Amino acid sequence: MKNPKKSLSIVGIVLAVILVVGVWMYFSPHEITGGSISGWYFGSQRWSGNILVMGDVMVFGDLAVAPGTVVKFVVGDDQGGGDEVPADGFNDADPTRLLSYSTTHSGITILRKFLSVGTEKQKIIFTSASAKPTLADWEAIVFFGNGSVVDNTLVEYNRNGLNPVGRQADSIIRNTVVQHVLWGAISTAHSGISAIGNYLADAGHEGLDVGYEGTGQVIRGNTIENCHTAIVVLGGSPLIEDNVIKNC
């Protein structure tokens, strides 16, 4: 007759091994070097090469992007997911706020840190895959992790630029170009992220909005031009200095 205590011990060991392996897989970076991507990705990711986004991407971990990486978004979404932005009295006639837009256009959501750190000679690019790119060919890059860094990166032809969410007082966007955007180039979403030395242009709404209720947010040395509005302060006490604003 089997010893029930021994059986339970074996089960416990197996479960412990599964847990350890699962934790290791979650926290170990998964490499994606070129090719097409779409859907959910568990654990931290490391991207490089030329990547084609076919549908909405959700990263359940950190995302680190190597210098020189080019990420292009098809005008379409094989995931078919999305949600509708409620009517607000200002943008009710904008078709990109409707469910029909979000279910047919891709975006990236990162639930932890976004580390897109390029160099002057090897910038990281997020752009449309269309032969004739235009505004709102893809949705946005949304990230939640405090300590995120976006540096020497180009983001263009999407609906809503860069969207840091949550209390990201230690995150920064710097030396980055966000252009040809239908809505806002950088929407800080009350995150507290700092924006330093960026070029923000051709945005249908604002170049940058801030609304962090704490202190320490810095908006410095940015050039903002050809946007409907340059900087919108929704709340808080950000330090805004030495920015150049043209034709807004």
Side-chain angles (χ1 to χ4, degrees):
M1 190 172 76
K2 292 183 179 180
N3 186 334
K5 290 185 178 180
K6 185 176 181 181
S7 299
L8 288 173
S9 297
I10 294 173
V11 171
I13 292 171
V14 170
L15 290 175
V17 170
I18 292 172
L19 178 62
V20 170
V21 171
V23 170
W24 177 80
M25 290 181 66
Y26 182 83
F27 287 103
S28 297
H30 300 268
E31 300 280 349
I32 295 179
T33 306
S36 300
I37 62 172
S38 179
W40 291 6
Y41 293 83
F42 291 90
S44 295
Q45 307 291 314
R46 184 180 294 148
W47 293 359
S48 61
N50 296 316
I51 294 174
L52 186 65
V53 178
M54 304 296 295
D56 287 325
V57 171
M58 177 83 76
V59 177
F60 290 82
D62 297 338
L63 172 59
V65 186
T69 300
V70 178
V71 181
K72 293 186 176 181
F73 295 76
V74 300
V75 184
D77 187 345
D78 62 7
Q79 295 293 322
D83 52 21
E84 190 162 300
V85 178
D88 59 6
F90 296 98
N91 305 303
D92 298 2
D94 182 351
T96 70
R97 72 169 186 80
L98 301 176
L99 184 64
S100 56
Y101 169 81
S102 62
T103 54
T104 55
H105 291 76
S106 303
I108 296 176
T109 301
I110 304 129
L111 297 185
R112 295 183 66 192
K113 288 189 291 187
F114 179 42
L115 303 170
S116 179
V117 182
T119 67
E120 287 190 11
K121 293 184 178 180
Q122 287 188 296
K123 295 188 183 299
I124 295 167
I125 298 173
F126 293 86
T127 190
S128 169
S130 173
K132 296 181 178 180
T134 189
L135 302 178
D137 274 355
W138 56 286
E139 288 195 70
I141 301 174
V142 180
F143 54 97
F144 288 79
N146 190 29
S148 294
V149 179
V150 181
D151 193 351
N152 276 295
T153 295
L154 167 64
V155 178
E156 61 181 4
Y157 296 114
N158 61 350
R159 180 180 68 176
N160 207 28
L162 290 167
N163 287 180
V165 178
R167 300 177 69 84
Q168 297 191 44
D170 300 318
S171 296
I172 188 169
I173 301 170
R174 63 192 176 209
N175 307 318
T176 285
V177 175
V178 185
Q179 61 186 7
H180 314 314
V181 181
L182 183 62
W183 288 3
I186 298 177
S187 297
T188 70
H190 307 278
S191 67
I193 194 170
S194 290
I196 299 175
N198 303 292
Y199 177 75
L200 312 175
D202 188 26
H205 289 201
E206 65 277 1
L208 192 148
D209 67 50
V210 297
Y212 180 55
E213 293 300 333
T215 60
Q217 185 173 25
V218 178
I219 310 299
R220 177 189 295 129
N222 302 286
T223 296
I224 306 172
E225 62 179 338
N226 299 323
C227 300
H228 177 70
T229 305
I231 301 172
V232 175
V233 180
L234 302 169
S237 302
L239 174 62
I240 301 175
E241 63 181 9
D242 298 330
N243 298 285
V244 176
I245 296 171
K246 303 177 183 179
N247 195 32
C248 296

